[in-house]
Amino acid sequence: MAAGVATWLPFARAAAVGWLPLAKKTMPKPPVDKKSRSDEILIVNVSGLRFQTWKNTLDRYPDTLLGSSEKEFFYNEDTQEYFFDRDPEMFRHILNFYRTGKLHYPRQECIQAFDEELAFYGIVPDIIGDCCMEEYRDRKKENQERLAEDTEAEMATDVPLPPNSTPRERLWRAFENPHTSTMALVFYYVTGFFIAVSVIANVVETVPCRPPKGSVKDLPCGEKYSVAFFCMDTACVLIFTFEYLMRLFAAPSRCKFMRSVMSVIDVVAIMPYYIGLVMPENEDVSGAFVTLRVFRVFRIFKFSRHSQGLRILGYTLKSCASELGFLLFSLTMAIIIFATVMFYAEKGTKGTNFTSIPASFWYTIVTMTTLGYGDMVPNTIAGKIFGSICSLSGVLVIALPVPVIVSNFSRIYHQNQRADKMRAQQVRGRGASSALALFTHLSLICKCGFFSPQDHDSDSAALCLKNRSSFEHQHHHLLHCLEKTTNHEFTDELTYSEMCMTESVGYRTSRSTSLSSQQVVSSSCCPRRAKRRAIRLANSTVSVSRGSVQELDTLQVLKSSAVPQSRSSLNARTEDLKLNCEQRDYTAAIISIPTPPANTPDESLPPSPAVPGILRNSRSISSFTHETVKISSL
Amino acid sequence: MSACAKRCKHGLVKFAVSVHKLVTGTLNKDKVDDDLEMTMVCHRPEGLDQLEAQTNFNKRELQVLYRGFKNECPSGVVNEDTFKQIYSQFFPHGDASTYAHYLFNAFDSGHSGSIKFEDFVTALSILLRGSTREKLQWTFNLYDINRDGYINKEEMTDIVRAIYDMMGKYTYPALKTDAPKQHVDAFFQKMDKNRDGVVTLDEFLLSCQEDENIMRSLQLFENVI
């Protein structure tokens, strides 16, 4: 939108003529544009493809490569053109950004290549237009995940160990990556086998076996062959304990290992056995002991070290936490609503199952998930109607978040497949590719660091100050004219509220309209603001003494009636005022950023260097329509 | 009470419409395409030579102006909403829409509801390159909202209030509610020579020419383009 705004600025300034008869003071002098007005066509040669554009088009964004004097580095004297050895297809989009003010992301291009081009030309990717922003973000996220996966895969130790590794490191490596040595592989399969055995034993324990001789009742096998099962359990637990201790010993960071999910599962899997050993054969606690046995089933989760699919599932659930949360929340809401309704609908029926609202929860859940056991059924007509609505809405509520979870799962699954493929390839072409990737990565960082126009050092800051567009100057002249017309000045919210508070104080003390009281008022508040205020007061009294008979402000009226100020002192003050205004003009111009209000008071007080503003200058110009621009007090 | 009843009725109507849409939505396809069909107005300005003759700009300046104008409004016309939007961008503190409305009417000399390039360039020519008398005449037209040849206090108050609206809420010193009125009173004090409550064009021209400040300020805007 910078194009648009810049185009209409002359017209807005011309329209300021309409304020002139109303103005109480003379208008400030407009900024003189020292640059030559005539526009010229520049030729930009990108790898042989010649682009031509007006110089003004490129000057719209002065803090990019093409808009600043940085492009002079690429100027070819012989051919009188700017030569860039970059992708011409991408340049088309870059140039369109200058022309239209909107940056588009081409879908068929690689996101990384696009990002590199943007970085080279000094364009911040945040200004991508809304039309392409979503696509860009999705691709970027995907790419980042891929990169993270790649670095993880690189680090995941297919590279041979350094020769002087301790046995501890080798042990850890054996655990994490069983394919490295045959011992590790054997151990891996043995643990897997024992997990399976343990789980099957847990299951078979409860199957009713034929009763022993002399008894009629069926016994579960666990009790019939209790010794056998006990031995099997002991063996499994011994293996698991041994494995856990070895992992704990080998882990590079024991705290981190102990906090990891897998180790927690390991502990939970073996604790019941030890607790059972320690606990006495007591009737009271046997109930609790039975509960503990349930935790033995967690041994099945130990399989996730062996199965990648299980890991993917777990990771998917973790990454879809928000969708799952939403699903749970909406289900809970719906359950409560429908349970209440059903309870009150069925309240009248005799012998109904809907004895309370919590009892109706069961009905609602079974109906919404379309299970329909039939153990609780409504009898009244109202109950049946609401029951049908309940089941219809259940289908909807459950069907909504599920596709999101599914798409997440498929994305992660495919990434994993790709990672596996890459790992298989890496085994063949080990080392060289990673080194090359590292080198290009480093070179990219170097490039970014060197060419980035968003440098924070003072040199580029000074450069940017000089290169600041005349647009800013002119816009501020326009606002200055408005201030002069209405004889009020722009401030920001904070100073306004502060001023309101202190004004009431000042008003009371200024009833005695003597010069001394004026000084008292000025010096009562913090000195900087007082100085500003004194300058403003002088400003207003200047206009009073110039002859325009207006009632400006009660404060000033009281002062003006009794204070005889000499012309010379006033003139001196106005000089001071002008100087201050000019300075603040600069700060104000630069600090026209779409920042939240909290920032502006901090920035408005000292005439700070332009550093924070430059970074976001292009963004402010390009997103002019949407953000509110806060100009600090002049 | 009536406002509440009106809103209730409005809400009921909206609900009925949405239920109707729900029912008929499954039967007919959505006629979304109708909404997309916008009336494409395209206006081309007169030739460059003619415009050069009519205004005080030379060919080069007209070219620059048109390029910018066309870039912004490919259809060749600016309607009032767009105009208000554009103008409001320059005054982010306050509400510039009222003043932009008056400005739009001043630019739209043909009262067609949209500003074409010719209107744009004619007005700019007057404001930037015109004689003092022409500029003041343009300003008089701006203030004279109903174009009856007289500026009365109500019109002036509207204009001044619109200008004060552009300042926004946070000003120093704080804006009093009667500031516009005082401003208008001062204006009339100065401009209305025969104290008849209205300012005619001649009075306006005379008073402005007497005021040095105004004369000096008028020269400032020469080099905007």
Side-chain angles (χ1 to χ4, degrees), chain A residues 1 3-5 7-22 24 26-30 37-39 54 60 99 475 477-479 481-483 485-493 496 499 533 536 550-551 553 556 624-625 629 631, chain B residues 60 67-69 71-73 78 83 86-87 89-93 99 103 107 120 124 127-128 135 138-139 142-143 156 159-160 163-164 166-167 169-176 182-183 186-187 190-191 204 208 213-214 217-218 220-221 223-225:
Chain A
M1 265 310 264
V5 170
T7 315
W8 290 95
L9 183 61
F11 137 77
R13 297 180 68 210
V17 166
W19 301 334
L20 292 180
L22 286 169
K24 301 182 179 182
T26 43
M27 293 292 149
K29 278 208 170 38
R37 282 266 167 217
S38 61
D39 209 357
W54 292 107
R60 280 184 199 146
R99 290 181 183 135
H475 188 208
H477 177 248
L478 181 66
L479 289 167
C481 286
L482 182 62
E483 284 188 343
T485 311
T486 56
N487 202 29
H488 288 73
E489 292 174 13
F490 292 108
T491 63
D492 55 6
E493 198 171 332
Y496 177 75
M499 179 202 58
R533 180 98 57 82
R536 287 208 188 97
Q550 280 103 359
E551 234 176 286
D553 204 359
Q556 289 146 5
F624 217 84
T625 28
V629 173
I631 299 186
Chain B
R60 203 128 206 235
R67 278 208 301 269
F69 186 82
N71 216 3
E72 266 318 286
C73 315
V78 187
F83 187 85
I86 292 170
Y87 200 71
Q89 285 175 18
F90 295 107
F91 303 98
H93 304 263
Y99 187 70
L103 211 54
F107 268 76
F120 180 69
L124 274 184
L127 287 172
L128 301 176
K135 289 182 188 173
W138 189 90
T139 315
L142 172 69
Y143 295 158
M156 207 56 221
I159 297 269
V160 171
I163 293 179
Y164 272 83
M166 284 199 285
M167 289 294 295
K169 206 164 64 139
Y170 303 118
T171 58
Y172 179 80
L175 271 176
K176 304 276 190 301
Q182 287 172 2
H183 206 140
F187 179 80
K190 196 167 76 165
M191 301 280 170
F204 184 75
C208 287
N213 281 342
I214 298 178
S217 307
L218 278 174
L220 286 178
F221 290 88
N223 60 345
V224 167
I225 297 283

Side-chain angles (χ1 to χ4, degrees), chain A residues 228-264:
Chain A
F229 278 106
F230 182 73
C231 290
M232 215 181 304
D233 205 21
T234 314
C236 293
V237 168
L238 277 175
I239 301 261
F240 296 152
T241 318
F242 174 70
E243 183 206 354
Y244 180 70
L245 289 173
M246 296 275 43
R247 276 185 202 263
L248 190 61
F249 166 70
S253 155
R254 296 217 173 100
C255 285
K256 201 171 108 174
F257 173 73
M258 287 187 70
R259 282 202 302 257
S260 72
V261 177
M262 290 310 303
S263 96
V264 167

Side-chain angles (χ1 to χ4, degrees), chain B residues 78-111:
Chain B
V78 187
N79 59 6
E80 189 165 340
D81 289 327
T82 323
F83 187 85
K84 279 187 183 166
Q85 234 179 337
I86 292 170
Y87 200 71
S88 303
Q89 285 175 18
F90 295 107
F91 303 98
H93 304 263
D95 177 26
S97 53
T98 334
Y99 187 70
H101 168 75
Y102 296 131
L103 211 54
F104 184 83
N105 286 339
F107 268 76
D108 185 16
S109 46
H111 301 287

Side-chain angles (χ1 to χ4, degrees), chain B residues 6 22 34-35 95 164 175-176 219:
Chain B
K6 225 198 282 189
L22 190 72
D34 286 350
D35 293 335
D95 177 26
Y164 272 83
L175 271 176
K176 304 276 190 301
Q219 312 305 324

